[in-house]
Amino acid sequence: MMNILIVDDQKHIRDGLQAMLHQFPLELNNIYCAASGIEALCLLRQHCIHIVITDIMMPDMDGLALMAQTKEEYMDVEYLIISGYSDFTYAQKAIGLGAKGYLLKPLKREDLQHSLEHVWQDIQTRQALTHNMQRVSRLAQETDRKELRMFMQGALSDDAWILQIEEQNDALWRNYRLALLREDVCMNQPGANSAHSMEAIAYRVFGRQGCICLQHRPYLILAVDASIDPSVLPVALKEAKIDAITAMTNPIQGLKELPDSYTQVLELYRHSYLFPDQYSIFPAHIEHMEQQWQLPYENLYELFQSIGTDNSGTITQGISAIFHKKVLQRYPIRYTQQLCAATVQMMEEYQRVIHPYMGEEVLDLESLRNLFDYQGMRDYIQALQQQLLRLNQLYYDYKCSYRHSQDLNEAIRFIHESYHKPLDLAMVSNHVSLNYAYFSNLFKKNIGKGFAEYLRDVRLDKARRLLAETDHKIVEVAAMVGYESYKSFARAFRLVMQIQPTEYRQMMRQKAD
């Protein structure tokens, strides 16, 4: 759509031109009008105008002066000159300033329409060429960036290619740093990826010639001008309210060093896990770390001695001590990785013991294998602590279940051994050293019937054998299976068997005969 500006100091000419333009079959968007060159210059600075139709002779600033000023300010606009003067000098000056046409008053409709169509076609052709050139240039840049990224990540390239890329931005590759930026967001929190915003800020800080984006995902990697203070970028990100971790190498000379620099910046980023309170990490942060270490296995063993107890606070304190920030910061990140692996390995050993008894309960130990799957060290330690506390509860339940199983087995053995004696729940619970009420509930939950009912069934089972296989009197049988009176024995027998003890003996003897 076309935007046109009409400039003439005579209102009736401006109105006439405007009316004429509306009658043309043109793709018009807006038509602006100005009574002088100064007024026209203000409109040109405020709006995107494609074509200016202007008179030459005007007070304050004439048409030629307006053309000269817009050319000086590099405004992308085309001119059609209208004039009552056929003086060749004016036409020559107008054409020298880039006018696309010189029309004499009074204007003919077909001349103005033809000139506008010709200029608009030129504008569209130029825009299409510019767009295609930009597209070709962008594709070439993307190809170069892809090759640079592959070279950075270890792909082999010949010296001729390296020299060619260096020549494209010789000043940068002579002295640069690699910067890795990753937005600091909480896990499981939705949020827009700020990689492009961070990239735009970096270009603003270092300039177009002082910054090249080499990678967007999983984190942004830039080559930046090493002559600029590296602390400026984190400050600019902070001012833009973007919380990002920035790792930056020392100055590097030459494109050949790019692969090694990539390894260095990744290592720096991994070490940022040891410094959760710092948003910028430089080689100085890790230069003095101790290179020899011994994992605290004794502390780990002591921690795991608490697994299966009802004291979860001990586990929480143990994790905090073993993974204390000051301890981890003494050594390279490999120490922390080995410590994480050793902890997960011990958790696996405990899980193997109780796995057959876990049922549908599971531990998510796979999620703990890679520290760098987490946003930061705090998130990893929190996840590790949750799984440890879960293991503690499962192991505690397993130990209780095993111990209760042993207690119940002993209680049942004691009942079968002592059924013929005076026996009650208190005596059995004391025998296995369990609380009376707790043992009562435990017995019923695991055996499926209460203690009194179970003891009755054991005694009556023994009584049926005695009635069927011996000649003892029924009164004697009642006493032999623990009943103090014949009456209570007969009542219990009839309740369960639906017949009297004497009838049962007769029935069993008839079957034997």
Side-chain angles (χ1 to χ4, degrees):
M1 298 289 283
M2 187 189 319
N3 293 326
I4 294 178
L5 172 61
I6 300 171
V7 189
D8 199 294
D9 59 338
Q10 298 182 50
K11 186 176 186 303
H12 70 278
I13 293 180
R14 295 197 302 272
D15 294 342
L17 284 171
Q18 191 170 4
M20 195 182 297
L21 290 174
H22 281 300
Q23 296 172 6
F24 293 163
L26 300 172
E27 297 178 348
L28 290 174
N29 185 29
N30 288 308
I31 299 175
Y32 302 92
C33 291
S36 68
I38 293 176
E39 186 181 345
L41 191 59
C42 291
L43 289 171
L44 284 164
R45 288 168 176 166
Q46 294 172 4
H47 304 283
C48 175
I49 293 172
H50 301 102
I51 302 173
V52 177
I53 303 173
T54 181
D55 192 9
I56 286 186
M57 301 302 294
M58 292 182 295
D60 299 327
M61 177 184 281
D62 64 21
L64 296 178
L66 174 63
M67 290 182 68
Q69 184 62 36
T70 55
K71 188 174 183 181
E72 186 177 330
E73 294 185 21
Y74 298 101
M75 293 184 186
D76 187 13
V77 61
E78 302 293 351
Y79 281 88
L80 283 176
I81 303 298
I82 56 174
S83 177
Y85 301 91
S86 59
D87 190 331
F88 178 71
T89 305
Y90 286 123
Q92 191 177 33
K93 287 182 179 179
I95 293 171
L97 290 169
K100 294 295 184 179
Y102 192 94
L103 305 175
L104 293 174
K105 297 178 182 178
L107 289 178
K108 293 181 180 179
R109 288 170 49 88
E110 55 272 17
D111 290 344
L112 179 59
Q113 181 178 343
H114 176 76
S115 297
L116 283 171
E117 289 175 347
H118 178 72
V119 173
W120 182 237
Q121 186 175 6
D122 283 351
I123 291 172
Q124 288 181 309
T125 302
R126 188 169 65 251
Q127 287 177 342
L129 286 172
T130 301
H131 177 74
N132 288 336
M133 289 176 64
Q134 289 174 343
R135 183 171 175 272
V136 170
S137 176
R138 187 169 62 251
L139 289 173
Q141 288 179 350
E142 289 175 358
T143 300
D144 289 344
R145 298 284 172 82
K146 183 177 180 180
E147 291 179 347
L148 263 173
R149 182 167 61 253
M150 293 174 64
F151 174 62
M152 176 181 73
Q153 294 172 353
L156 297 177
S157 294
D158 55 38
D159 291 342
W161 177 86
I162 292 174
L163 183 61
Q164 175 191 343
I165 298 298
E166 281 185 332
E167 288 176 349
Q168 292 176 5
N169 199 335
D170 183 56
L172 176 64
W173 295 120
R174 276 203 308 266
N175 188 30
Y176 66 98
R177 302 175 191 268
L178 272 195
L180 183 152
L181 292 83
R182 179 175 177 180
E183 188 178 7
D184 187 23
V185 294
C186 297
M187 291 183 70
N188 303 320
Q189 295 260 331
N193 190 307
S194 295
H196 291 288
S197 298
M198 294 189 293
E199 180 184 359
I201 291 170
Y203 277 114
R204 192 168 68 242
V205 169
F206 296 98
R208 284 284 163 184
Q209 297 302 312
C211 180
I212 291 179
C213 177
L214 300 173
Q215 176 179 298
H216 279 107
R217 294 178 181 177
Y219 19 69
L220 185 65
I221 295 183
L222 308 166
V224 299
D225 187 351
S227 65
I228 295 176
D229 185 351
S231 65
V232 176
L233 179 57
V235 171
L237 293 170
K238 208 74 174 176
E239 289 175 351
K241 297 182 179 179
I242 296 177
D243 291 331
I245 297 167
T246 304
M248 198 174 292
T249 66
N250 286 329
I252 304 153
Q253 287 75 40
L255 187 59
K256 283 187 176 181
E257 303 301 320
L258 183 61
D260 289 340
S261 304
Y262 177 65
T263 302
Q264 292 170 20
V265 81
L266 287 179
E267 189 72 2
L268 278 173
Y269 168 69
R270 294 187 185 103
H271 278 83
S272 69
Y273 279 69
L274 304 180
F275 304 93
D277 300 321
Q278 294 189 20
Y279 281 92
S280 304
I281 182 165
F282 300 98
H285 286 103
I286 65 175
E287 286 176 353
H288 304 295
M289 288 181 167
E290 299 176 27
Q291 298 301 316
Q292 300 292 329
W293 63 79
Q294 182 70 39
L295 291 180
Y297 284 110
E298 291 186 5
N299 294 338
L300 279 174
Y301 292 142
E302 184 179 346
L303 169 67
F304 277 85
Q305 288 299 312
S306 303
I307 295 295
T309 68
D310 57 356
N311 189 1
S312 59
T314 303
I315 294 172
T316 303
Q317 293 171 4
I319 284 291
S320 298
I322 292 171
F323 287 86
H324 194 279
K325 179 174 65 175
K326 290 185 178 179
V327 176
L328 301 183
Q329 289 176 356
R330 287 174 54 189
Y331 308 106
I333 190 65
R334 293 186 301 281
Y335 168 84
T336 301
Q337 290 177 273
Q338 291 177 12
L339 183 58
C340 294
T343 307
V344 172
Q345 184 178 357
M346 286 192 175
M347 293 174 70
E348 285 179 321
E349 292 175 3
Y350 272 71
Q351 181 180 238
R352 275 194 289 271
V353 173
I354 63 172
H355 182 72
Y357 308 93
M358 288 173 63
E360 296 182 359
E361 300 286 352
V362 293
L363 291 175
D364 187 13
L365 299 186
E366 286 302 316
S367 67
L368 300 175
R369 297 198 185 280
N370 187 3
L371 166 65
F372 305 114
D373 286 341
Y374 291 80
Q375 193 68 26
M377 195 69 209
R378 290 192 182 104
D379 295 319
Y380 180 85
I381 293 175
Q382 184 179 5
L384 179 65
Q385 182 173 290
Q386 288 175 349
Q387 293 301 316
L388 263 174
L389 292 174
R390 184 75 186 129
L391 174 63
N392 177 63
Q393 184 62 49
L394 291 171
Y395 206 79
Y396 179 76
D397 293 343
Y398 158 73
K399 288 172 64 177
C400 289
S401 174
Y402 180 79
R403 185 173 66 250
H404 293 160
S405 177
Q406 295 294 98
D407 291 338
L408 283 172
N409 288 339
E410 175 57 25
I412 290 170
R413 188 199 65 77
F414 183 68
I415 291 169
H416 280 266
E417 185 180 84
S418 309
Y419 69 92
H420 59 287
K421 301 176 183 178
L423 198 62
D424 58 22
L425 182 63
M427 295 172 65
V428 179
S429 63
N430 285 335
H431 178 76
V432 292
S433 302
L434 290 176
N435 174 269
Y436 177 93
Y438 177 77
F439 176 72
S440 176
N441 290 329
L442 180 69
F443 192 95
K444 188 170 185 178
K445 179 180 178 182
N446 287 272
I447 302 302
K449 59 180 73 174
F451 168 79
E453 184 181 357
Y454 183 81
L455 177 61
R456 181 201 65 188
D457 291 346
V458 169
R459 285 172 167 174
L460 293 181
D461 183 61
K462 302 293 184 181
R464 288 196 297 272
R465 289 185 182 181
L466 290 171
L467 289 171
E469 299 173 1
T470 71
D471 293 326
H472 291 297
K473 295 179 179 180
I474 294 178
V475 173
E476 294 173 339
V477 170
M480 292 171 68
V481 297
Y483 283 94
E484 295 180 354
S485 69
Y486 169 78
K487 188 176 181 181
S488 58
F489 168 69
R491 183 168 57 249
F493 196 96
R494 186 172 60 251
L495 178 66
V496 174
M497 302 301 298
Q498 303 298 314
I499 57 175
Q500 294 288 352
T502 52
E503 295 173 330
Y504 178 80
R505 170 171 274 180
Q506 291 174 1
M507 181 180 68
M508 297 306 293
R509 286 182 176 177
Q510 288 174 359
K511 285 184 178 181
D513 293 341

